[in-house]
Amino acid sequence: METKELILKESLDMFLSHGFKSVTMDEIANKMGMSKKTLYTHYKNKSELVAATSLHMCDHVCDGVNHIATNDDRNPIEDLYEIKAYVMRELKGDNSSPICQLQKYYPETHKLVHKKIYDFMDNCIYRNVERGLELGLYRDNINKTFVARMYFIGIQGIKDLSLFPVDQFPQDKLYDQYLEYHLRGIVTPAGRKILNQLTQTNHE
């Protein structure tokens, strides 16, 4: 792996663990065992590094989600739970603090990432709904575009720590609760059986 890629990997790990604002270029250089001057030969400033790591993270997670969503070994309901587990692993439990820092201190980068994620998830959930309809797991009277967009709005909404403080709503359980809330509104009786099995397994 080239030096620039290693910097990207290590700095992203630090940003997700401690926040985009909190981590300094000095700390990244020390972690990499290099001088700050060497670091700046690859990324001219912290804003550039934050943008590069954020977009890299976005592309990586979207690729992983797409791989899950296009695997026909699972049904669409199972896909959503598998996607949730994957994203939580990749984003270190989806601690919202780094994303809040990105939005506050690097708003232009946050806008780019948010737009990219929205476009991807809108298409991904739309396809999930289509598969659910084809398999008779989702109700045939739902509006696919509406469901896809409401899913995205809900996912963004539960990240608001002022509404869902972690001490009251642990992240992993919160996402499970949201998925169940989302799915119970659109499943058929056949889909409900699958959902009941999954939620029972998650509660055990």
Side-chain angles (χ1 to χ4, degrees):
M1 190 178 290
E2 295 182 359
T3 302
K4 191 166 187 174
E5 292 176 349
L6 281 171
I7 294 171
L8 202 65
K9 181 178 180 298
E10 291 293 339
S11 57
L12 177 57
D13 185 69
M14 293 175 73
F15 288 146
L16 289 178
S17 297
H18 307 291
F20 287 95
K21 175 66 174 176
S22 305
V23 177
T24 67
M25 294 294 270
D26 280 321
E27 289 170 335
I28 294 169
N30 289 336
K31 178 78 181 290
M32 297 293 300
M34 64 175 59
S35 67
K36 197 158 68 167
K37 181 180 178 181
T38 302
L39 178 58
Y40 280 121
T41 62
H42 295 285
Y43 295 97
K44 64 183 181 183
N45 53 48
K46 186 180 173 183
S47 294
E48 184 180 282
L49 179 56
V50 166
T53 53
S54 300
L55 292 171
H56 173 75
M57 171 190 69
C58 183
D59 289 339
H60 173 71
V61 171
C62 287
D63 285 346
V65 169
N66 190 58
H67 178 73
I68 293 169
T70 54
N71 186 333
D72 292 335
D73 291 343
R74 291 175 298 271
N75 64 62
I77 297 172
E78 292 170 330
D79 276 352
L80 291 182
Y81 278 90
E82 186 66 24
I83 287 169
K84 187 270 311 186
Y86 168 76
V87 171
M88 296 291 281
R89 286 195 305 270
E90 292 301 308
L91 299 185
K92 297 182 180 295
D94 195 34
N95 178 359
S96 295
S97 178
I99 304 303
C100 289
Q101 288 194 9
L102 185 67
Q103 184 174 12
K104 183 175 182 180
Y105 297 105
Y106 303 94
E108 291 306 314
T109 296
H110 181 266
K111 284 180 186 176
L112 286 174
V113 171
H114 188 271
K115 176 70 165 57
K116 201 165 190 176
I117 292 174
Y118 169 74
D119 289 341
F120 173 79
M121 289 305 297
D122 189 51
N123 181 260
C124 178
I125 301 302
Y126 188 93
R127 286 186 284 118
N128 178 274
V129 175
E130 283 190 321
R131 281 193 64 221
L133 290 169
E134 290 168 5
L135 295 173
L137 300 179
Y138 296 161
R139 293 187 290 108
D140 60 10
N141 62 341
I142 59 177
N143 182 305
K144 291 176 281 189
T145 301
F146 174 79
V147 171
R149 294 182 182 179
M150 287 303 295
Y151 177 88
F152 181 80
I153 289 171
I155 285 292
Q156 295 303 306
I158 63 175
K159 291 179 180 178
D160 188 334
L161 297 180
S162 67
L163 294 175
F164 299 98
V166 178
D167 59 334
Q168 295 180 42
F169 301 94
Q171 290 291 301
D172 197 43
K173 289 183 179 179
L174 179 60
Y175 274 74
D176 281 338
Q177 288 174 328
Y178 175 70
L179 270 183
E180 183 176 354
Y181 174 83
H182 167 78
L183 286 164
R184 288 208 181 277
I186 64 174
V187 291
T188 60
R192 193 176 302 116
K193 288 181 181 179
I194 295 170
L195 180 58
N196 286 341
Q197 291 171 350
L198 285 169
T199 53
Q200 184 177 355
T201 299
N202 287 335
H203 292 322
E204 289 175 352

